Amino acid sequence: MKLQEKEVASTASSTTTWTEPIGTTVTPPTSVNPKNLVCFSHLRWNFVYQRPQHLLSRASKEWQVWFLEEPVFKEGPIRLEKHEIQSQLCVLVPCMPHGLKPEEVIAQQKRLIDEFIASEGISSYVAWYYTPMALAFSPEVAPELTVYDCMDELSAFLGAPRQLIDLEQRLIEQADVVFTGGHSLYEAKRDKHAHTYAFPSSIDFLHFSQSRKPQPDPDDQRQFAHPRIGFCGVIDERFDIELVRELAQRRPDWQFIFLGPVVKINPASLPKAPNVHYLGMKSYQEIPRYFAHWDAAILPFAICPATRYISPTKTPEYLASGLPVVSTPIHDVIRNYGSRNWVHIADTAERFEAALEQALTDKGMTHRKEVDTFLNENSWDRVWNEMAGLMKLHAQPA
C-alpha cells in the first residue's frame, strides 16, 4: 500500500489524516518491539479520563507502560512513588518537599527517572511525550523511539511557561513521529516534522451508548426539572462564562448542568443562578448515567487562542450518548461534525438559544444512523492500532 497525504475526516470511514512522502511503503517491521513505554505527562492519570488514558491503556496490552506525572510537593524524603493502575500500567509520581528552587526540582526529577530506569533494567523503550517541558529531565538512556503526542497547543494556555515554545521545537526535532489531537493542530505542526499525523478525538462507543438505555437518575441530579442542558469537561479559561450566564438568564426554564473540575479560574467568577448547577467531577464510569437524563449537550467554549486548536473529546461522546449537541464555532467541531449538520453551531447567545430549541425538538434523531456508523468506525481501538503501526514503521533499532 502506498501512503500519500489523504484527508479521511471528510468521509464517514475515518477521522485520521496520514501524511507521508508519496511512494513510501507501509510494511511495519515486526522485529522492533521495545518492552517499555515511558510517558511524560502534564496531566495526572486520575484527572479527567481523556486521550492519554484511552491510548496508554491500550498500549499496555503490548508494552509495560510507565506514566510519569509532574511532581507533588509534600513532606517526606524525595522519592518516586509507584501506583499500579492495572497489569502493565503504572503511574510514577515524583514527591518532593516544598521550597525547592525550579532548577532543583528539575535536577531531582532527572535523578529519580535515571535511577528508576537503572533499577528496572530498562535498556530499550518508547519515550512518549505529552509535555515538551519534560525534555529538561529526560533519561540518560536514549529511547528506541520518541513520540510526541501533541494533544493541545499548550503555549496558548493560561500560565504556560515561557520556555515551552523553544522546548517544543526541540522535542519536534528529536521525535521520530508526531501525532496531533486534531486537524487544526495537524495543520499547525505538519510543516515542522516530516512524519506528522492527525488523530482527532475518538470514541469508546459501547461505553457512551449505555446512556441510551433506561437507568436510574444519579442522586445529585434527580431533583432538577427538564429540559436539562449539560456540559461535561474541564471548566477553565476556555469556558465562555458570559455565554452561559446569558443563556441561563434568557431561559430560566432550562436547567444547565455542569460536570467537571474547575481549574485555573476563580470559581466565584462562574455564573450563579437557580437553574445553573455545578456537580463536580465524575468518574468515567459514572458519566453515561448522567448523560442518560440530559435532553441536550453543549460545548460552550470561548473563541480565543486557547481554543484555536482544540478537538473536544466530548463531541463524539455526546453523540454516542444519543444527545443533540450545540457548540460555539470551534474549528475542529465544525470540520468533523458541524459541516455534516450533526452538531449545531452558534456564535452568539441568541443563536445558541435558537439552536438549543431546535436541538431539543430534534433530540438527536435526525442523523442517528449516519452518526452511529461514523462513530463506530472511529474508535480509540482503531486510532491506537494505526498509531502502533506508524510507531513500528518509524522505529530505529538500536
Side-chain angles (χ1 to χ4, degrees):
M1 179 175 73
K2 303 290 186 182
L3 268 184
Q4 54 186 317
E5 183 174 14
K6 56 183 180 179
E7 289 279 335
V8 290
S10 61
T11 72
S13 62
S14 177
T15 57
T16 306
T17 300
W18 283 22
T19 304
E20 192 69 348
I22 295 175
T24 301
T25 301
V26 181
T27 308
T30 57
S31 59
V32 178
N33 185 23
K35 293 181 179 179
N36 295 274
L37 186 153
V38 180
C39 174
F40 302 89
S41 178
H42 61 294
L43 299 171
R44 300 205 180 276
W45 187 268
N46 287 330
F47 191 54
V48 175
Y49 198 95
Q50 52 188 308
R51 184 184 182 92
Q53 291 88 340
H54 281 293
L55 294 175
L56 296 177
S57 291
R58 288 161 173 80
S60 69
K61 296 176 182 178
E62 182 175 0
W63 293 306
Q64 171 64 57
V65 173
W66 307 100
F67 187 87
L68 182 68
E69 297 184 348
E70 292 184 335
V72 296
F73 296 92
K74 58 184 181 180
E75 297 303 318
I78 296 175
R79 62 198 184 278
L80 190 66
E81 290 185 351
K82 299 184 197 177
H83 304 280
E84 185 173 301
I85 304 301
Q86 60 192 48
S87 176
Q88 297 201 151
L89 200 162
C90 186
V91 171
L92 307 175
V93 186
C95 298
M96 303 183 190
H98 295 278
L100 293 181
K101 297 177 180 179
E103 59 270 23
E104 294 175 324
V105 173
I106 291 173
Q108 291 298 337
Q109 284 177 279
K110 182 168 180 56
R111 178 181 68 82
L112 289 172
I113 189 63
D114 283 340
E115 289 178 355
F116 169 77
I117 293 285
S119 68
E120 293 291 332
I122 297 174
S123 60
S124 177
Y125 69 100
V126 170
W128 184 289
Y129 288 87
Y130 279 112
T131 172
M133 300 301 293
L135 283 182
F137 52 85
S138 295
E140 291 291 342
V141 176
E144 190 165 325
L145 179 79
T146 298
V147 176
Y148 177 29
D149 188 20
C150 180
M151 62 181 286
D152 286 304
E153 184 59 72
L154 295 177
S155 63
F157 281 34
L158 186 66
R162 288 177 297 176
Q163 63 269 44
L164 182 60
I165 293 176
D166 290 339
L167 285 172
E168 183 185 60
Q169 182 56 41
R170 279 179 50 196
L171 177 55
I172 289 174
E173 291 170 0
Q174 292 182 25
D176 297 292
V177 61
V178 176
F179 300 138
T180 67
H183 291 286
S184 294
L185 268 177
Y186 165 74
E187 290 164 354
K189 308 296 181 185
R190 63 181 174 183
D191 293 334
K192 298 182 179 182
H193 197 287
H195 308 307
T196 302
Y197 307 89
F199 286 98
S201 297
S202 298
I203 181 66
D204 182 346
F205 185 83
L206 289 178
H207 180 69
F208 283 95
S209 64
Q210 295 176 80
S211 299
R212 304 181 188 184
K213 302 174 183 177
Q215 55 196 291
D217 202 351
D219 291 342
D220 58 349
Q221 181 176 264
R222 189 173 299 158
Q223 71 272 28
F224 304 137
H226 289 267
R228 296 174 180 174
I229 315 298
F231 169 81
C232 181
V234 178
I235 301 172
D236 57 16
E237 75 270 24
R238 297 170 295 176
F239 189 76
D240 193 332
I241 291 174
E242 293 310 315
L243 171 64
V244 172
R245 193 189 316 278
E246 186 170 349
L247 284 171
Q249 291 172 350
R250 295 172 73 97
R251 296 306 298 256
D253 55 322
W254 290 352
Q255 303 300 310
F256 293 89
I257 299 172
F258 298 94
L259 307 181
V262 179
V263 300
K264 296 194 291 183
I265 62 172
N266 185 353
S269 68
L270 295 174
K272 303 292 191 301
N275 62 330
V276 178
H277 315 283
Y278 303 97
L279 303 187
M281 191 164 77
K282 306 300 177 184
S283 73
Y284 185 68
Q285 297 303 320
E286 291 178 289
I287 290 173
R289 284 186 59 204
Y290 285 85
F291 287 6
H293 299 276
W294 291 0
D295 299 292
I298 55 174
L299 296 165
F301 290 111
I303 304 304
C304 63
T307 61
R308 171 63 183 84
Y309 301 101
I310 64 173
S311 177
T313 307
K314 282 296 171 286
T315 317
E317 292 176 355
Y318 289 156
L319 291 171
S321 299
L323 289 166
V325 184
V326 182
S327 174
T328 51
I330 299 300
H331 288 278
D332 281 12
V333 175
I334 295 172
R335 177 175 187 155
N336 293 334
Y337 305 100
S339 61
R340 297 179 169 95
N341 296 317
W342 297 347
V343 169
H344 302 269
I345 306 296
D347 59 358
T348 66
E350 182 178 6
R351 290 172 181 162
F352 215 98
E353 178 188 7
L356 273 171
E357 286 182 329
Q358 183 179 348
L360 290 169
T361 301
D362 170 49
K363 295 191 180 297
M365 294 298 295
T366 303
H367 304 284
R368 175 69 60 83
K369 185 175 181 180
E370 187 181 3
V371 171
D372 285 358
T373 299
F374 177 85
L375 295 175
N376 273 295
E377 292 175 348
N378 288 278
S379 66
W380 284 114
D381 287 336
R382 176 172 180 168
V383 165
W384 172 251
N385 289 337
E386 292 186 1
M387 283 182 168
L390 290 165
M391 290 162 64
K392 291 176 181 177
L393 174 68
H394 295 296
Q396 301 297 321

